[in-house]
Amino acid sequence: MTKINRILSGVQPSGDLHLGNYLGAIKNFVTLQKEYECFFCVVDLHAITVWQDPAILAQKTREVTAAFIASGIDPKENVLFAQSQVPQHSQLAWIFNCVSRMGWLNRMTQFKDKAGKDKENVSVGLFSYPNLMAADILIYLATHVPVGEDQKQHLELTRDIAQKFNNDFKTDLFPIPEPLIMGEATRVMSLRDGLKKMSKSDPSDYSRIMLSDDENSIVQKIRKAKTDPEPLPDNIEDAKKRPEAFNLLTIFASLSNLSTARIIEDYSGKEFSQLKKDLADLTVNKIDPIAREMKKLIQDTSYLDFVLKIGKDKAINVATPVLKEVYDVVGFIKP
Ligand code: ATP
Ligand code: MG
């Protein structure tokens, strides 16, 4: 089997997409689609690791698909699909459940964060989720995985699983995939708390800017963003010690495709109010066209379902022979 530079990345339909998803992931997908063969997946199986309302899950899956397309991902040149429609992900995930170790999963900080104090009462899926993520990537023999900083640890686990599988079964089937953590805003923080990641699952709408937000909401959210009382810093070391300031500066850098150092230089000694005003204008300019395009696309359910169907067929074509080879090396009876 020929191994080429191939990308797999996913976004959960677990809520409304936000600026962190855009700057940490989707914006980079748009750049990378030119260089790599890309598989972009709406990971609905991951979403149900926490409760999702069945009445809206399909619609959320279409919304993420619309966000991909509205952000500039070409559905003809790339494989866009819904994870649950390609059964090979779950089939490989089961095998990886038997390769991955409890000790490895016990170290995952996302599980600790998401489970909080209620560890006994969360789903088994929330715990074993990284094994399914490894399957999402390796079922396509993907070599590169563009993600936000928060997924780095899961990528390391994927590498461990690939390595252990190859060793245990004396094969070189799986590549050891590389994370691609790109840009100036690899970990966008909540606008309410500079120490918390911006997340779909944060209960406060004011913690995040959504890709579907209109101009007025964007301006309000940035105006209300938490800050500290000092004027803006004049060097990166000082900026890093002030999480809220650093967050706004890196968002600014990423949206304007400039370095954080350059933005710090521009705003050195100025008041937050000035930065916030300019950042709001910039964000509206970048997000508003995406929001408008998303709204248009979301009306067209049959087009989005068509895109997902074409994607599913392409994905299955690639996943089927890989799973066959896995079954072979594991020693299952040939069907
Ligand atoms: P949830 O809270 O339900 O986990 P999420 O906001 O973390 O949702 P995901 O669907 O889990 O979103 O992640 C999709 C992609 O967006 C991943 O590549 C992830 O690393 C990236 N990402 C998520 N949040 C951020 C963030 N705050 N900054 C940068 N990248 C992010
Ligand atoms: Mg997440």
Side-chain angles (χ1 to χ4, degrees):
M1 198 165 295
T2 51
K3 292 181 185 162
I4 30 184
N5 281 341
R6 186 179 278 165
I7 274 177
L8 175 291
S9 198
V11 175
Q12 301 188 64
S14 50
D16 292 322
L17 296 192
H18 53 75
L19 201 55
N21 300 131
Y22 180 65
L23 298 179
I26 300 172
K27 179 171 180 268
N28 300 326
F29 301 170
V30 177
T31 314
L32 293 162
Q33 65 182 334
K34 297 181 193 98
E35 280 171 59
Y36 292 82
E37 184 186 2
C38 295
F39 289 70
F40 297 123
C41 172
V42 188
V43 285
D44 48 1
L45 296 173
H46 287 294
I48 64 161
T49 54
V50 299
W51 174 251
Q52 301 296 331
D53 180 350
I56 60 168
L57 182 58
Q59 193 50 24
K60 291 275 165 217
T61 301
R62 293 187 188 105
E63 279 175 28
V64 176
T65 312
F68 282 160
I69 301 170
S71 303
I73 294 172
D74 181 344
K76 290 205 187 84
E77 291 295 318
N78 303 284
V79 186
L80 285 192
F81 65 104
Q83 184 190 28
S84 62
Q85 299 197 333
V86 182
Q88 285 81 0
H89 290 237
S90 317
Q91 290 173 293
L92 183 59
W94 177 257
I95 293 168
F96 285 172
N97 281 341
C98 305
V99 172
S100 181
R101 305 287 95 179
M102 288 295 287
W104 298 357
L105 287 178
N106 273 329
R107 285 196 285 275
M108 296 296 116
T109 55
Q110 180 180 284
F111 177 75
K112 289 176 201 162
D113 290 347
K114 287 198 173 179
K117 292 194 183 74
D118 201 18
K119 276 196 188 52
E120 292 297 307
N121 206 28
V122 295
S123 75
V124 176
L126 190 69
F127 182 72
S128 64
Y129 159 128
N131 295 342
L132 175 60
M133 176 165 158
D136 300 334
I137 295 162
L138 294 169
I139 194 69
Y140 302 105
L141 307 179
T143 52
H144 294 82
V145 187
V147 280
E149 238 267 324
D150 63 303
Q151 290 299 324
K152 194 164 169 233
Q153 196 185 30
H154 291 161
L155 239 298
E156 277 156 16
L157 184 98
T158 299
R159 292 164 60 87
D160 290 341
I161 290 175
Q163 218 133 33
K164 187 170 185 328
F165 182 96
N166 286 351
N167 282 338
D168 288 354
F169 296 103
K170 301 190 176 36
T171 171
D172 62 355
L173 174 63
F174 291 125
I176 311 302
E178 296 286 341
L180 293 174
I181 298 174
M182 297 163 59
E184 297 290 318
T186 56
R187 187 177 179 83
V188 178
M189 308 310 275
S190 156
L191 298 180
R192 308 260 76 193
D193 176 353
L195 299 175
K196 249 171 78 184
K197 182 181 92 70
M198 186 179 281
S199 261
K200 291 191 213 93
S201 39
D202 193 308
S204 163
D205 260 7
Y206 270 86
S207 71
R208 62 185 160 253
I209 291 169
M210 261 102 77
L211 292 188
S212 54
D213 275 344
D214 60 19
E215 181 171 345
N216 190 38
S217 329
I218 294 174
V219 172
Q220 291 301 326
K221 286 177 183 180
I222 294 181
R223 188 151 63 207
K224 291 209 165 102
K226 189 177 163 202
T227 53
D228 62 50
E230 302 296 317
L232 286 155
D234 62 7
N235 67 79
I236 200 140
E237 284 70 35
D238 288 351
K240 280 184 180 160
K241 289 181 208 143
R242 295 166 57 189
E244 284 83 17
F246 191 64
N247 192 34
L248 297 180
L249 290 162
T250 51
I251 292 174
F252 200 118
S254 181
L255 280 173
S256 56
N257 294 315
L258 293 168
S259 69
T260 305
R262 164 70 197 279
I263 306 303
I264 290 176
E265 205 178 293
D266 288 354
Y267 286 91
S268 159
K270 294 192 177 151
E271 297 300 323
F272 270 101
S273 54
Q274 181 64 50
L275 174 69
K276 282 181 165 183
K277 189 183 164 304
D278 297 347
L279 180 59
D281 288 346
L282 175 64
T283 311
V284 169
N285 279 336
K286 295 284 172 174
I287 298 303
D288 199 49
I290 299 177
R292 282 171 198 272
E293 186 61 21
M294 264 178 79
K295 276 197 191 98
K296 249 199 286 175
L297 286 165
I298 287 164
Q299 304 302 318
D300 199 348
T301 305
S302 56
Y303 169 67
L304 295 172
D305 288 358
F306 171 75
V307 166
L308 291 175
K309 185 192 174 309
I310 300 284
K312 173 202 79 171
D313 291 342
K314 288 194 214 162
I316 286 181
N317 272 339
V318 178
T320 302
V322 177
L323 189 69
K324 225 167 140 199
E325 208 166 323
V326 170
Y327 272 34
D328 212 36
V329 295
V330 170
F332 292 149
I333 286 183
K334 286 196 176 45

